[in-house]
Amino acid sequence: MLIEQLFGIELPLIQAPMAGAQGVPLALAVASAGALGSIPCAMLSHDKLKLALESFRRQSDRPVNLNFFCHKPPEEQAERLRIWLQQLAPYYREFEVEELGGGAERRPFDAEVAAVIEPFRPEVVSFHFGLPSTELMLRVKSWGTKVVASATSVAEAKWLESRGVDAIIAQGLEAGGHRGHFLSDDLTEHSGTFALLPRLIQAVKVPVIAAGGIADAAGVQAAMALGAAGVQVGTAYLLCPEAEISELHRQALKDPTRHTALTNLYSGRPARGIMTRLMRELGPLGQAPDFPLAANAIAPLRAAAEARHCSDFSPLWCGQNPEGCREIPAADLTRELMAAFIRA
């Protein structure tokens, strides 16, 4: 089944939910073009989540995808945090940072969040880092909502299917932002989109959506030719006016010398972004505390550096194929990506 039928959309594309990089405006723009707009919700308070949903429903009757994290909050890690702060101390002195804290909260999906979104009956809810409890899954599906989740391996795809997801996102190693793995932390088990996609399609019966490195119409068609039920695209939208990234992030995306790497320094969990001074000097995969504790120590340093127009300590999330980034309205970009699927 293609995702047009599954989600009630016209074009087989999901705009990737990008926490910290977008909000309702991007989701609305993509939805207006006939694809599935997404709202990243894991960093929103209950009040802000409700306001976001009210805003979307007030301006559109199109389907929407709400995305949440399903991580297990870590235990206290005082010793690891002490070592982490020691590593950051020279930067704190350089930028005259004195206090720890200030990072955005990253909350896993729970019953309180379910109660906030239930009145809105979202058409799609997607999860990263696994799934919530069976009880919460059944509650979400009781609304008539379709459930989608990310897999980085065949084992994860089978695990998700066995727990009742309606579709699976095959997240290739090229994808920007946080890796969605949850059964194993071994990054050597991860593969590129076009290696992962056919393996997942063969392993499960539910629709598989390709994600990672797809940034133009040719990439979309290649994924569909391999059997994808649809595609998920994120990085290509980052230069659209509806994206909410900083000017520093926009400048980095336009820099022809930029390249990306997986790093755990900004949040405590591997995520792909443009190389920064912090990543070069500490090594992109360092000894940061577990997700999301590392972010609390980075937040004040990032704020101080950005105040000086410096992105050395900013998470510049980006996939391996930013060449598709266009400074055009997101609806226009959606139609360009989906040109082969738009009926004349």
Side-chain angles (χ1 to χ4, degrees), residues 81-250:
L81 182 58
R82 184 189 66 79
I83 295 171
W84 182 226
L85 289 173
Q86 277 186 334
Q87 290 182 289
L88 297 179
Y91 304 124
Y92 270 52
R93 290 191 293 270
E94 179 182 347
F95 287 89
E96 301 175 324
V97 174
E98 297 181 357
E99 294 186 3
L100 170 67
E105 187 176 7
R106 293 162 173 83
R107 301 181 51 171
F109 188 81
D110 58 20
E112 291 182 0
V113 174
V116 173
I117 68 173
E118 186 167 5
F120 297 92
R121 296 293 198 271
E123 289 76 14
V124 183
V125 168
S126 60
F127 295 109
H128 217 47
F129 315 142
L131 292 171
S133 67
T134 300
E135 180 183 2
L136 283 173
M137 275 279 290
L138 291 174
R139 180 174 179 179
V140 171
K141 290 174 76 71
S142 74
W143 310 332
T145 298
K146 302 301 182 185
V147 173
V148 182
S150 301
T152 64
S153 68
V154 169
E156 288 178 348
K158 289 183 174 180
W159 187 94
L160 292 172
E161 183 181 45
S162 71
R163 284 158 178 79
V165 300
D166 296 289
I168 292 169
I169 296 167
Q171 189 192 34
L173 198 55
E174 304 96 327
H178 283 93
R179 305 296 300 148
H181 60 274
F182 56 92
L183 291 184
S184 170
D185 293 330
D186 186 354
L187 293 176
T188 66
E189 297 177 2
H190 296 200
S191 56
T193 303
F194 290 102
L196 179 66
L197 177 63
R199 296 177 65 215
L200 264 57
I201 291 171
Q202 185 175 18
V204 299
K205 294 182 173 61
V206 297
V208 177
I209 298 156
I214 300 170
D216 56 27
V220 171
Q221 292 182 60
M224 302 297 279
L226 280 177
V231 297
Q232 179 170 279
V233 177
T235 296
Y237 286 105
L238 287 176
L239 287 182
C240 293
E242 297 90 349
E244 298 173 359
I245 61 174
S246 67
E247 185 57 36
L248 289 171
H249 197 163
R250 291 179 183 273

Side-chain angles (χ1 to χ4, degrees), residues 26-108:
L26 182 59
L28 284 168
V30 172
S32 73
L36 184 63
S38 301
I39 302 174
C41 302
M43 293 168 64
L44 298 179
S45 66
H46 293 168
D47 288 343
K48 288 183 178 180
L49 174 56
K50 183 180 179 181
L51 287 173
L53 289 169
E54 289 174 343
S55 176
F56 187 94
R57 291 299 196 211
R58 186 169 58 249
Q59 299 177 72
S60 176
D61 60 358
R62 303 286 183 120
V64 66
N65 167 38
L66 306 184
N67 180 256
F68 298 93
F69 294 163
C70 287
H71 61 286
K72 181 180 179 181
E75 301 294 330
E76 184 179 351
Q77 298 179 345
E79 179 61 17
R80 289 183 66 180
L81 182 58
R82 184 189 66 79
I83 295 171
W84 182 226
L85 289 173
Q86 277 186 334
Q87 290 182 289
L88 297 179
Y91 304 124
Y92 270 52
R93 290 191 293 270
E94 179 182 347
F95 287 89
E96 301 175 324
V97 174
E98 297 181 357
E99 294 186 3
L100 170 67
E105 187 176 7
R106 293 162 173 83
R107 301 181 51 171

